[in-house]
Amino acid sequence: MTFAIYLAHAAGFRGAEIFSCGWLSVLDCDPPQARELALDAKRSGLIDLRMAGDVVEFNLARLDHYAGKA
């Protein structure tokens, strides 16, 4: 799940659209189930995630320490 989120983010998906992208549908996850699994990944310390209603913000720096560095 976490790697699917990472791949979706690398492919340009952002916010809540990540939960309905092809990378997660390959795992047979519908968007509500994907949200729950993303929260589990957050609890495990794999990703930083903030959700408020339809606004979703991912920080994947824990997976890729070079992300965002020029």
Side-chain angles (χ1 to χ4, degrees), residues 6-69:
Y6 177 80
L7 290 174
H9 191 270
F13 291 92
R14 297 293 183 264
E17 69 181 349
I18 286 179
F19 296 128
S20 59
C21 75
W23 293 107
L24 274 69
S25 63
V26 167
L27 301 174
D28 290 330
C29 286
D30 57 5
Q33 183 182 20
R35 283 177 175 263
E36 288 300 317
L37 292 171
L39 285 171
D40 287 343
K42 177 188 176 184
R43 288 183 202 111
S44 297
L46 298 172
I47 62 174
D48 291 321
L49 171 66
R50 288 194 275 175
M51 292 192 293
D54 291 336
V55 178
V56 179
E57 182 181 317
F58 289 95
N59 183 340
L60 305 176
R62 293 179 187 213
L63 298 174
D64 186 359
H65 297 288
Y66 298 106
K69 294 183 181 180

